Amino acid sequence: DTEVTQTPKHLVMGMTNKKSLKCEQHMGHRAMYWYKQKAKKPPELMFVYSYEKLSINESVPSRFSPECPNSSLLNLHLHALQPEDSALYLCASSPGSYTGELFFGEGSRLTVL
Amino acid sequence: QKEVEQNSGPLSVPEGAIASLNCTYSDRGSQSFFWYRQYSGKSPELIMFIYSNGDKEDGRFTAQLNKASQYVSLLIRDSQPSDSATYLCALIYNQGGKLIFGQGTELSVKP
């Protein structure tokens, strides 16, 4: 069982909707990540939070808004998405920053109609 | 441009054989190297990491790193059908870098 929990597992939304993806870890990790993955492609980094502060934003469109309420929680707020934003959104955590030893959640499968 | 190159496959091997997955990278500043396994419809899972030149063994898996030639490989001995997955090579640079993934190699182990 994964120790990084993502909800919801599946989400269908219209282009005018506002929704949020949630991620939680209880491993005491200090860095948390959002990745986007399209079919047959590797994960693409979106955001990194280190010690609850945004440390990397990979020039992601503003319709994606991350939030880290505390060291265990990570949210991704979605607004006015496009159909091309349909993908698997993966949350990950790591013990510290700038390490490649990531623990991924099971992902949230997003479909934008 | 910092890149990680992998043969996308699919790589097909018979059960019990050795599967060899290779990865090359362009930046000599790369310091840490990782292999992730991703089953279809699942999330990536870290299976090996290697930081120093040479071999690192963990059960049926051996990671090999050659920094002079800028390649890293993963050997899977006694391959099983349950090893069928996409294997992602990834690396991180020395100074506050992000994890960069290769395109992944799809491995199919035939019974």
Side-chain angles (χ1 to χ4, degrees):
Chain A
D1 288 342
T2 181
E3 295 187 69
V4 178
T5 304
Q6 289 188 244
T7 56
K9 288 186 168 39
H10 299 275
L11 178 63
V12 179
M13 60 186 292
M15 289 189 286
T16 59
N17 292 157
K18 286 185 181 180
K19 298 285 184 183
S20 297
L21 305 180
K22 298 184 183 298
C23 176
E24 187 170 9
Q25 58 91 10
H26 292 291
M27 294 180 282
H29 289 175
R30 307 307 303 198
M32 296 187 76
Y33 309 75
W34 280 115
Y35 281 86
K36 173 184 176 180
Q37 188 175 27
K38 293 272 203 178
K40 303 289 188 184
K41 296 293 186 182
E44 296 176 45
L45 183 64
M46 301 176 71
F47 303 103
V48 180
Y49 274 83
S50 177
Y51 291 86
E52 301 166 44
K53 293 185 178 179
L54 184 64
S55 61
I56 296 179
N57 177 339
E58 287 292 290
S59 301
V60 178
S62 60
R63 57 187 184 266
F64 295 92
S65 175
E67 178 195 20
C68 188
N70 60 55
S71 60
S72 299
L73 293 173
L74 186 65
N75 298 322
L76 185 63
H77 302 299
L78 314 171
H79 174 53
L81 295 192
Q82 303 298 309
E84 59 264 30
D85 295 322
S86 298
L88 180 67
Y89 288 84
L90 294 162
C91 174
S93 69
S94 62
S97 305
Y98 311 125
T99 172
E101 298 174 44
L102 303 186
F103 293 76
F104 284 90
E106 293 184 344
S108 293
R109 176 79 57 190
L110 173 66
T111 302
V112 182
L113 301 177
Chain B
Q1 175 100 14
K2 297 173 181 173
E3 291 183 350
V4 182
E5 298 286 341
Q6 288 184 262
N7 188 329
S8 61
L11 173 65
S12 184
V13 300
E15 184 175 356
I18 296 176
S20 178
L21 304 159
N22 300 309
C23 173
T24 58
Y25 59 94
S26 59
D27 193 317
R28 289 186 179 275
S30 305
Q31 292 291 322
S32 308
F33 304 85
F34 306 85
W35 284 99
Y36 283 81
R37 176 178 63 199
Q38 187 170 23
Y39 291 113
S40 180
K42 302 294 186 182
S43 58
E45 173 192 14
L46 179 66
I47 54 172
M48 291 285 288
F49 57 86
I50 186 166
Y51 301 146
S52 303
N53 275 329
D55 294 359
K56 178 181 179 182
E57 189 173 318
D58 183 1
R60 295 186 296 112
F61 298 97
T62 299
Q64 299 176 316
L65 175 60
N66 184 322
K67 289 188 177 182
S69 300
Q70 294 177 241
Y71 81 78
V72 57
S73 61
L74 179 71
L75 301 179
I76 306 175
R77 290 182 300 281
D78 188 24
S79 296
Q80 301 297 310
S82 59
D83 295 324
S84 298
T86 295
Y87 289 80
L88 295 157
C89 172
L91 57 83
I92 196 164
Y93 297 102
N94 193 28
Q95 294 295 330
K98 61 185 181 182
L99 189 64
I100 297 177
F101 285 95
Q103 292 296 306
T105 298
E106 183 182 349
L107 172 67
S108 177
V109 181
K110 303 294 187 185

